[in-house]
Amino acid sequence: MPPQVKVSKEHIKAEAFQMTKESGFEAVTARKLADRLNCSTQPIFRVYANMEELKVDLYEMGAEYIRESMVRQKGKSEPAYLSLALGYINAARNEKHLFRLVASVDDMNIEGDGEFLLKGEAKNYPNILPGTEKLSEEQKGELLRAIWFLVHGIGALIVSGRTVISDEEVRGLITETYAGLLAELEGK
C-alpha cells in the first residue's frame, strides 16, 4: 500500500486560494484541487466537510488580501478614504476572481455590508476623515458607509465588465460625493 499523503490545511487553503485567483472559486473542485496537491480528495475532505467550508476560508483570505492591497494605497497624496477607495477599485481591476468571491458574501451567510474593510489598520479611518471634526461618530459612520456603497458599486461594475472608468474619474466621483455628503451631514 502506498504511503498516505499528508496535506495540511494551510497547504490546501494556499493552493485553493491560488486557483481562485487564477480562475475563480467556481473552478475549484475537490478533484482539481487534489490534482494540484498531488493527492486524492481524501485529505481535502479530512480537513473540510465540504467545499462550502473551504469557500468561507477563501473568502476570509480574499478579504484580507483586498484589505492589504487597500492599505498599500495609503500614504499616497490622497486622504485615507480616497486611498482606500482607489485600493479597492484596483483590487476589482487586478484581482477580479477574488473580488467576485469577496463580493459574494451573501452566498455564504456572512453578515455585514463591508465591515471586512474596517479591520486592522483601516479600523481607525473613520476617525481621520477630513472635514469631519464636527460630525458625531454616527455621522462619520454614515459618511463612510455611503462612500463604501459608491466604491463597491463601481468595483462591481468594473468586475462585471459593465463599465470602464479611469482613476481620475473614480477620484472625481468619490471626491464630489464625499464633499456633497459632508455638506449635507454638517447641515443636519
Side-chain angles (χ1 to χ4, degrees):
M1 177 156 43
Q4 192 174 11
V5 177
K6 294 194 180 206
V7 180
S8 71
K9 183 175 187 174
E10 292 308 312
H11 193 198
I12 293 168
K13 286 184 349 184
E15 198 60 46
F17 186 74
Q18 189 58 41
M19 291 172 71
T20 300
K21 283 180 69 174
E22 293 167 6
S23 306
F25 182 76
E26 305 76 31
V28 180
T29 65
R31 170 65 17 226
K32 288 179 185 175
L33 180 56
D35 288 346
R36 288 204 30 176
L37 293 166
N38 294 317
C39 67
S40 71
T41 59
Q42 191 175 22
I44 296 166
F45 290 118
R46 201 173 298 128
V47 173
Y48 292 101
N50 54 50
M51 293 301 283
E52 288 305 306
E53 281 186 15
L54 174 60
K55 186 176 184 180
V56 171
D57 277 355
L58 294 177
Y59 162 82
E60 291 170 4
M61 291 173 72
E64 179 63 25
Y65 187 91
I66 289 174
R67 251 191 320 274
E68 287 174 5
S69 71
M70 290 168 60
V71 171
R72 278 194 300 274
Q73 278 293 128
K74 190 178 148 218
K76 308 283 191 225
S77 59
E78 293 96 11
Y81 77 92
L82 192 53
S83 294
L84 279 173
L86 292 171
Y88 192 73
I89 297 299
N90 285 334
R93 285 187 181 123
N94 302 325
E95 298 292 349
K96 291 181 186 224
H97 296 300
L98 281 182
F99 187 93
R100 280 188 183 107
L101 175 66
V102 171
S104 72
V105 331
D106 59 325
D107 297 341
M108 294 177 279
N109 295 321
I110 295 174
E111 304 242 348
D113 58 6
E115 288 88 7
F116 78 88
L117 296 174
L118 297 177
K119 290 186 177 178
E121 182 180 341
K123 196 167 196 124
N124 294 323
Y125 284 0
N127 298 321
I128 58 171
L129 294 171
T132 62
E133 298 78 19
K134 296 177 183 174
L135 298 183
S136 69
E137 292 304 311
E138 183 179 321
Q139 288 174 313
K140 289 177 187 179
E142 190 177 326
L143 176 62
L144 195 59
R145 186 170 187 246
I147 294 297
W148 157 247
F149 285 161
L150 171 66
V151 172
H152 182 71
I154 293 169
L157 289 168
I158 289 169
V159 164
S160 70
R162 294 179 185 201
T163 192
V164 175
I165 187 169
S166 69
D167 276 351
E168 291 73 32
E169 290 174 293
V170 170
R171 197 176 271 110
L173 265 172
I174 295 168
T175 302
E176 288 173 26
T177 302
Y178 184 91
L181 290 168
L182 185 59
E184 184 176 320
L185 288 168
E186 286 176 335
K188 285 185 177 181

